Amino acid sequence: MLDDHDGTDDRELLRRIVQKDEKAFRQLFERYQNRIFNIAYRYTGSFHDAEEITQDVFLKVYKSAHTFRHDSGLGTWLYRITMNTAMNFKRKKRIAAESLDQITEPGQNREEPAAASAQNPEEIYKRKKRQELIRAALDSLPSNQRAAFVLAKYEGMTYLEISKVLSVSVAAVESLIYRARQSLVVKLRPLVNRGELDRKF
Amino acid sequence: MGCKNNKTIISRYLDGLLNEDEKKSIEDHMNACPECRNFYEEIKAVMVMIEAPDQVLPSPYLYSKIRNNIEAMENRPAALKWLRPVLVPILVALTFLIFGIGSTLFFQSLGDRSQPQTQRSGSDLNLQVFNDAPQSSLALAYAQITGVRK
């Protein structure tokens, strides 16, 4: 769900940020950095890219805090900036890679965010390959489908919340998620059929 | 109801967006329709497969990087800082000025051509060539016709 904190609290925070109050800006950062970073990370699959995007987001917030019209929650506004920044970032990176004839291998830019627990090498290898396939499948989704799916799946947002972040209708969100799921099933079906996962249902 | 429509409903079912009657209806359908049941199982399996681990934490130095960027932005040379907000209006004004001057000169030159030819000496127009033109030349004939030459 969205972290739209108490409206008065958010207004006060933004008012102070407009006045370049560093403490208020730090407070905002502490409140939202993990969520923003994780949205960017799930969307791009790259720790480094997610950090760059997060920096861009907070820079934009610092410069544009005075433009926030309070017609949505602060969280919604922040996540909208995050998704737009992430989509533009990914698009520019793809264009740059294509112009240099670089093909990003599945999982090439992916960094393991935390050390895995001790496992034998074969398990580690199988898990890595599976993650690469999953990453490639997610990367193959059109940007709007990927955005809606990431927000629903990894951030637990409702369709209504996603519609506000992406500035589309609820019906559009439903359609995007449905199509994303269909694409992912097609691409990841081999993994499902090989029984390489623990089915919890 | 076609199974294509049911697949959309199954997607909503997975997200817990159906009321009790709708849930019962789609569950009954999945029990009777292998295609839809298989679709549900596959989606469920894929969703479990791509289940995210715990939230990923950013670098502890992230805030420092952001503050450095802000300070660099705010420490731009003073000349540039005051120039930024007025740069666009200045450029727009210059564009209109250049366009205005250019248009004025262009239409003025058109106007000059449409005015009646007045007696002007070749030297006034720096057209010494007409004064020096041989008797039988086209240049002389032209000069006589247009009255350029005295």
Side-chain angles (χ1 to χ4, degrees):
Chain A
M1 65 192 84
L2 292 181
D3 284 333
D4 282 336
H5 292 257
D6 175 66
T8 312
D9 188 30
D10 285 345
R11 269 183 225 271
E12 177 59 23
L13 205 58
L14 267 182
R15 188 189 64 78
R16 287 163 55 197
I17 290 172
V18 169
Q19 294 169 351
K20 309 300 180 199
D21 183 339
E22 200 265 333
K23 279 186 185 161
F25 184 69
R26 179 81 197 230
Q27 201 176 337
L28 182 85
F29 174 80
E30 299 291 350
R31 193 182 285 183
Y32 288 103
Q33 61 149 336
N34 284 349
R35 198 86 191 267
I36 288 171
F37 176 81
N38 273 273
I39 289 173
Y41 179 70
R42 302 295 176 210
Y43 186 82
T44 61
S46 163
F47 188 91
H48 177 257
D49 290 352
E51 283 216 326
E52 276 203 49
I53 290 165
T54 307
Q55 286 183 57
D56 285 349
V57 168
F58 279 102
L59 265 178
K60 285 178 185 175
V61 168
Y62 186 82
K63 285 196 283 191
S64 314
H66 63 285
T67 65
F68 180 53
R69 288 191 296 274
H70 299 277
D71 50 356
S72 66
L74 178 59
T76 304
W77 184 62
L78 290 173
Y79 304 138
R80 191 180 301 142
I81 294 174
T82 304
M83 283 314 317
N84 289 337
T85 306
M87 287 186 194
N88 288 336
F89 186 95
K90 197 100 170 129
R91 184 166 48 241
K92 282 180 192 169
K93 203 171 177 185
R94 188 173 55 245
I95 291 169
E98 284 168 3
S99 68
L100 292 171
D101 290 327
Q102 290 168 18
I103 308 294
T104 303
E105 294 299 326
Q108 182 178 338
N109 289 323
R110 197 170 189 281
E111 298 167 28
E112 286 295 328
S117 56
Q119 291 177 328
N120 66 58
E122 189 186 344
E123 280 299 318
I124 293 172
Y125 175 77
K126 280 170 77 174
R127 189 166 60 87
K128 190 169 186 295
K129 290 309 290 183
R130 189 171 74 184
Q131 284 172 344
E132 285 177 1
L133 282 171
I134 292 171
R135 186 68 247 164
L138 283 168
D139 281 347
S140 70
L141 293 175
S143 59
N144 52 358
Q145 285 183 28
R146 191 183 328 142
F149 184 80
V150 161
L151 292 174
K153 173 66 179 169
Y154 297 122
E155 301 302 317
M157 288 190 192
T158 65
Y159 287 4
L160 179 61
E161 289 165 342
I162 296 170
S163 72
K164 290 179 184 175
V165 171
L166 299 182
S167 301
V168 296
S169 68
V170 172
V173 171
E174 194 174 320
S175 173
L176 288 171
I177 290 174
Y178 170 70
R179 284 186 277 144
R181 280 174 171 157
Q182 269 199 314
S183 295
L184 289 171
V185 163
V186 168
K187 290 196 163 56
L188 298 175
R189 187 173 280 142
L191 291 180
V192 174
N193 287 340
R194 288 209 297 271
E196 287 191 53
L197 60 122
D198 293 329
R199 289 165 62 157
K200 294 182 182 174
F201 61 97
Chain B
M1 194 186 298
C3 281
K4 189 179 176 202
N5 197 39
N6 282 333
K7 286 174 181 172
T8 313
I9 298 173
I10 290 171
S11 188
R12 302 182 89 236
Y13 173 74
L14 279 161
D15 289 332
L17 296 177
L18 302 182
N19 62 37
E20 289 303 316
D21 289 341
E22 289 166 334
K23 271 172 66 176
K24 176 91 174 49
S25 172
I26 196 62
E27 283 170 354
D28 289 343
H29 176 78
M30 284 195 286
N31 284 334
C33 175
E35 183 188 339
C36 287
R37 174 72 190 187
N38 193 50
F39 179 73
Y40 166 77
E41 299 281 357
E42 280 189 323
I43 289 193
K44 199 101 196 312
V46 167
M47 292 303 107
V48 168
M49 186 188 338
I50 62 177
E51 194 66 51
D54 293 335
Q55 214 182 39
V56 178
L57 295 179
S59 152
Y61 308 109
L62 189 54
Y63 186 73
S64 301
K65 292 179 188 175
I66 292 169
R67 281 308 309 178
N68 288 342
N69 286 333
I70 289 173
E71 280 163 23
M73 183 179 69
E74 291 188 327
N75 290 335
R76 274 193 200 128
L80 284 179
K81 272 170 74 173
W82 72 256
L83 186 62
R84 274 178 82 90
V86 300
L87 190 61
V88 170
I90 287 175
L91 285 173
V92 169
L94 273 175
T95 304
F96 276 112
L97 190 64
I98 291 168
F99 183 71
I101 292 172
S103 302
T104 305
L105 288 174
F106 175 71
F107 287 114
Q108 200 171 44
S109 71
L110 284 181
D112 286 346
R113 284 182 216 168
S114 67
Q115 285 177 5
Q117 294 291 330
T118 55
Q119 290 264 343
R120 287 174 289 183
S121 70
S123 60
D124 288 341
L125 293 173
N126 199 27
L127 296 172
Q128 187 62 31
V129 63
F130 291 111
N131 292 334
D132 296 336
Q135 285 296 320
S136 60
S137 67
L138 277 175
L140 179 62
Y142 174 78
Q144 285 173 340
I145 290 167
T146 59
V148 170
R149 191 180 175 197
K150 281 188 179 170

